[in-house]
Amino acid sequence: MKDPFGKDAERLIREEFGDLLTLLQRIPLSVSVDDVLTLVAWVLASEEPPEKLLRRSPLEETKDVFRFYALLGALALSPYGIELELVEKALVKLYGKRLKGSDLSGTMLMVEEIQTGEVPERDRKILEKPMDKNVDPSERERRKLRYRMRLAEFLTLWDGSLKEVYIRGGYAYLTQETALQLWERAFTRRIERASRLLSKMSDELPEFYGELRERLRNIAEEHFKERLEKLGKVGAQPLRFDLFPPCIKEALKGVPAGMRNYAITVLLTSFLSYARICPNPPRKDVRVRDCVESLDIIEKEILPVIIEAGNRCTPPLFEDQPHEIKNVWYHLGFGLTDRPTLEDSGNSTWYFPPNCDKIRANAPGLCKPDKYCRGVKNPLTYYLRRLAREGRKDAAEGSE
Ligand code: SF4
């Protein structure tokens, strides 16, 4: 199966297993952890996936789907960690290579091959330059329009200028290369969405996925070693306010009465605490005391920022509602208190930062997306991505 999110794989899962959870529960009976890791472990040895992963016999197709979904099962236990970055990187390369040059209709990308005569000859001549002797045959092939995609779908994936695309009758017309780029984007987004959705069922997954997640983490730490060393490991680290997403910057400025409790107590509290002390939660029900040994960071670095932002609200939140500080502790997982000890963590749930769609629904004025928001579903992911980018930049500058 060329695309594990494509129609054939979907059919296999539906007909053979009924749903994804059943598939994930059955996978450990068919493949081993080592077997699954072959899809990603090659990144430690080479830039390109090995030939044997590119050419599979039809008998291996189902096993290949099992390996892929096993990785998603492991990501469900760590939907924001470096394991996700590793899996995305390895699989985009592997499946992208398998798809290169082949027909992309039938993949998860909603494209169809275009019919002869569909693009007016005059336009085709301008775009593909079929008669131009200065354009060599491979370039001519590269320029060839092969697919069409509904404009509404296309716009959710495209971040370039519309001047670069041939649009006609409500469709965007795509070359193989452009379609593959869009497929990569759609594929990455689907992996992220699937691992987040599956994380809600992580309690029902067999132990197999815990072991797989640990092994994935080892590979990811090895692969991103240089960057992690530069960043001081993906873990607790000082906050980089300049890399915060726009919604958090808005909340920090202070907000009007109607949005105060949501912006400060829910969004800012959860974002700052996870970003500062546990950017990659190891499991769903993590507590503050699993990540720090004292309340110092919370009391000296996080609370003052929350209180200042609350004071900037109109009217100032904590002057107006002094009891709201108990709610802040509640959202940090200490229960309803204003004098917690570290041992109290776990008395309530430590709220994870809400997803972007929830922020837009509850406090639309906070979401003012910038270019880094594209494809991001949670403000913490935005921050981690920008941190990672900065890390790469610093590493490159360092090596220069
Ligand atoms: S898209 Fe998400 S991260 Fe970006 S500003 Fe909106 S809510 Fe924040």
Side-chain angles (χ1 to χ4, degrees):
M1 265 155 250
K2 49 189 179 185
D3 180 355
F5 288 130
K7 293 194 176 85
D8 292 343
E10 253 179 22
R11 197 174 313 114
L12 171 86
I13 296 170
R14 200 176 46 247
E15 289 172 5
E16 299 287 325
F17 303 96
D19 58 47
L20 201 48
L21 184 58
T22 313
L23 168 69
L24 291 181
Q25 286 166 337
R26 299 266 289 281
I27 282 175
L29 304 175
S30 306
V31 288
S32 67
V33 167
D34 285 326
D35 204 3
V36 175
L37 290 172
T38 55
L39 289 193
V40 295
W42 58 266
V43 297
L44 295 179
S46 134
E47 286 289 310
E48 298 297 327
E51 201 57 26
K52 68 174 187 296
L53 282 179
L54 298 176
R55 319 248 162 270
R56 291 140 304 128
S57 71
L59 288 174
E60 281 177 293
E61 294 279 359
T62 310
K63 210 170 182 188
D64 200 58
V65 173
F66 286 176
R67 290 188 194 123
F68 174 83
Y69 281 91
L71 289 172
L72 290 192
L75 292 183
L77 306 179
S78 183
Y80 299 98
I82 46 170
E83 300 89 339
L84 174 68
E85 196 180 342
L86 172 83
V87 169
E88 283 180 353
K89 181 177 175 185
L91 296 188
V92 160
K93 196 111 191 210
L94 173 62
Y95 285 94
K97 275 245 161 188
R98 287 180 183 173
L99 284 171
K100 200 171 179 210
S102 59
D103 179 6
L104 294 181
S105 43
T107 64
M108 62 176 297
L109 197 65
M110 312 290 265
V111 290
E112 46 194 67
E113 282 202 289
I114 56 180
Q115 306 297 317
T116 322
E118 195 175 327
V119 176
E121 204 46 38
R122 180 179 44 96
D123 294 355
R124 207 180 255 289
K125 277 183 185 154
I126 296 169
L127 293 161
E128 296 177 1
K129 302 199 184 319
M131 313 307 273
D132 190 336
K133 292 202 176 65
N134 295 324
V135 178
D136 71 46
S138 62
E139 175 61 12
R140 218 172 287 146
E141 192 54 34
R142 207 178 66 80
R143 287 165 173 253
K144 212 174 205 163
L145 296 177
R146 288 194 58 181
Y147 308 99
R148 66 176 196 174
M149 184 180 199
R150 284 194 183 282
L151 202 50
E153 293 282 345
F154 171 79
L155 291 174
T156 62
L157 294 169
W158 183 250
D159 57 6
S161 158
L162 286 182
K163 285 185 194 151
E164 296 163 31
V165 193
Y166 178 68
I167 294 172
R168 184 183 165 82
Y171 287 92
Y173 286 76
L174 313 172
T175 62
Q176 178 75 11
E177 196 177 291
T178 312
L180 201 53
Q181 279 168 13
L182 295 185
W183 173 87
E184 284 180 7
R185 207 161 293 156
F187 185 69
T188 312
R189 281 190 199 170
R190 184 78 78 90
I191 290 179
E192 288 170 10
R193 202 169 63 219
S195 45
R196 256 173 245 139
L197 284 175
L198 286 170
S199 71
K200 296 189 181 127
M201 307 174 203
S202 56
D203 296 344
E204 296 171 62
L205 295 178
E207 182 42 40
F208 173 86
Y209 295 98
E211 190 191 335
L212 183 55
R213 195 268 311 264
E214 281 310 307
R215 300 272 305 275
L216 266 182
R217 176 169 295 172
N218 294 341
I219 298 174
E221 285 182 350
E222 176 67 27
H223 182 62
F224 298 118
K225 197 166 159 200
E226 227 170 276
R227 195 180 91 209
L228 294 179
E229 279 168 4
K230 200 85 190 168
L231 273 175
K233 291 259 181 208
V234 173
Q237 55 184 291
L239 291 168
R240 289 279 310 265
F241 288 73
D242 53 322
L243 304 180
F244 282 1
C247 49
I248 301 297
K249 288 184 178 161
E250 283 300 309
L252 284 170
K253 285 186 211 157
V255 295
M259 262 194 253
R260 284 182 316 176
N261 300 68
Y262 185 80
I264 307 298
T265 314
V266 179
L267 177 60
L268 212 49
T269 302
S270 56
F271 176 86
L272 293 174
S273 55
Y274 275 94
R276 175 64 183 92
I277 62 180
C278 189
N280 289 300
R283 43 172 220 277
K284 221 171 71 184
D285 54 351
V286 67
R287 299 162 304 181
V288 166
R289 70 170 127 142
D290 298 324
C291 309
V292 288
E293 283 166 3
S294 79
L295 289 181
D296 278 4
I297 293 180
I298 296 200
E299 290 177 336
K300 292 182 186 154
E301 293 184 39
I302 297 173
L303 269 187
V305 180
I306 295 172
I307 290 169
E308 268 175 42
N311 288 343
R312 279 189 213 109
C313 293
T314 31
L317 176 63
F318 299 106
E319 278 174 28
D320 213 25
Q321 300 174 2
H323 62 274
E324 191 62 10
I325 201 71
K326 289 188 183 173
N327 238 337
V328 168
W329 283 110
Y330 182 84
H331 281 79
L332 288 167
F334 291 80
L336 214 50
T337 172
D338 54 4
R339 291 193 185 281
T341 63
L342 190 59
E343 284 63 46
D344 292 327
S345 80
N347 284 353
S348 52
T349 302
W350 182 10
Y351 277 68
F352 194 73
N355 277 350
C356 300
D357 51 358
K358 290 256 163 53
I359 297 171
R360 282 192 285 270
N362 286 295
L366 293 179
C367 178
K368 297 182 173 166
D370 64 13
K371 63 177 178 176
Y372 301 106
C373 288
R374 197 169 264 274
V376 161
K377 300 284 186 306
N378 187 289
L380 190 60
T381 319
Y382 173 112
Y383 180 58
L384 293 183
R385 283 194 183 166
R386 292 207 60 194
L387 265 185
R389 254 186 220 131
E390 286 296 301
R392 280 197 289 271
K393 239 198 280 169
D394 290 349
E397 279 163 16
S399 64
E400 269 170 32

